[in-house]
Amino acid sequence: DAGITQSPRHKVTETGTPVTLRCHQTENHRYMYWYRQDPGHGLRLIHYSYGVKDTDKGEVSDGYSVSRSKTEDFLLTLESATSSQTSVYFCAISSSTDTQYFGPGTRLTVL
Amino acid sequence: RKEVEQDPGPFNVPEGATVAFNCTYSNSASQSFFWYRQDCRKEPKLLMSVYSSGNEDGRFTAQLNRASQYISLLIRDSKLSDSATYLCVVLDRGSTLGRLYFGRGTQLTVWP
């Protein structure tokens, strides 16, 4: 399995609080991604990174920001969490623009 | 219109059965195609890539029809361990990287 970890694995928070999710990889892959998965939807891309300090928006980026200061870490921040951001968040990595490998996921509940 | 549409499922089949999943995609310029498998409350894992000539990996066969924008996955001799959700995934290459588009998934349950 690809060396990808996510932390925390589970989090419950309240509306309006900031939340940061961390994705860490040991594969030295260039590309990293954040997705969310919700019932009735396929995985949807939030943000992605194509190198250190190089990031861009995906299809559902509103309310989220990201940072990548090191190759191995990609952080996803919810500046002010809302109930609509309750979801399962997956990080993925890729060495090319092709096959992606996923981390174990973070279950976030916003009350 | 969604980028990737899959059979709604769920599929419930006995061990040993053959089952097929279908998927259509909307962007004729899509360049790469995959099937991922996702177990309950786990991350998606790559099952196999799908090539224009069709490809086989053990009991699994994937087919691609570019003209019809159609992808299929055939599972022969189903095992209990095949029970999972199967995700059809399409890659569209943009200017900076390829973007994956996921179907909603088709749930398979194999019963003894």
Side-chain angles (χ1 to χ4, degrees):
Chain A
D1 289 344
I4 315 168
T5 56
Q6 292 185 229
S7 58
R9 294 293 313 280
H10 302 270
K11 187 171 181 66
V12 180
T13 191
E14 294 186 349
T15 298
T17 59
V19 177
T20 296
L21 308 182
R22 180 184 184 230
C23 177
H24 179 78
Q25 59 145 330
T26 57
E27 306 294 326
N28 201 36
H29 284 351
R30 176 181 177 186
Y31 303 95
M32 299 186 75
Y33 312 79
W34 277 108
Y35 292 88
R36 60 178 290 173
Q37 187 174 36
D38 304 288
H41 296 274
L43 279 91
R44 293 179 292 174
L45 182 65
I46 304 171
H47 280 280
Y48 61 93
S49 170
Y50 45 97
V52 174
K53 298 192 188 304
D54 291 324
T55 65
D56 206 346
K57 297 178 179 180
E59 61 182 305
V60 290
S61 59
D62 287 349
Y64 301 95
S65 62
V66 291
S67 66
R68 190 168 179 201
S69 58
K70 298 184 291 184
T71 298
E72 57 267 33
D73 289 324
F74 192 31
L75 303 181
L76 177 70
T77 297
L78 291 65
E79 301 290 348
S80 178
T82 67
S83 58
S84 64
Q85 293 176 312
T86 292
S87 187
V88 181
Y89 291 86
F90 288 103
C91 173
I93 65 174
S94 178
S95 60
S96 68
T97 57
D98 220 343
T99 307
Q100 295 180 17
Y101 299 93
F102 288 81
T106 294
R107 293 188 173 274
L108 176 66
T109 302
V110 183
L111 301 174
Chain B
R1 180 182 176 185
K2 283 190 64 65
E3 181 86 16
V4 180
E5 302 266 14
Q6 288 187 244
D7 278 351
F11 287 73
N12 298 294
V13 302
E15 271 189 296
T18 295
V19 61
F21 304 140
N22 303 315
C23 168
T24 58
Y25 59 96
S26 61
N27 185 357
S28 60
S30 296
Q31 296 177 306
S32 298
F33 310 88
F34 309 90
W35 284 100
Y36 276 72
R37 170 197 168 122
Q38 186 172 24
D39 293 295
C40 187
R41 302 177 76 83
K42 299 287 189 180
E43 72 272 24
K45 292 188 176 181
L46 179 67
L47 178 65
M48 57 196 304
S49 300
V50 187
Y51 303 117
S52 296
S53 56
N55 49 300
E56 187 173 309
D57 183 2
R59 298 181 293 106
F60 298 84
T61 301
Q63 297 278 353
L64 168 65
N65 184 323
R66 285 189 180 271
S68 301
Q69 295 178 209
Y70 173 95
I71 306 160
S72 66
L73 177 68
L74 182 75
I75 305 175
R76 292 182 301 278
D77 189 23
S78 298
K79 310 293 185 189
L80 297 177
S81 57
D82 293 335
S83 297
T85 297
Y86 291 82
L87 308 177
C88 178
V89 184
V90 171
L91 175 73
D92 291 347
R93 292 194 193 283
S95 56
T96 53
L97 86 168
R99 183 171 294 187
L100 292 184
Y101 291 91
F102 290 78
R104 296 180 186 181
T106 301
Q107 186 176 350
L108 171 66
T109 300
V110 181
W111 46 273

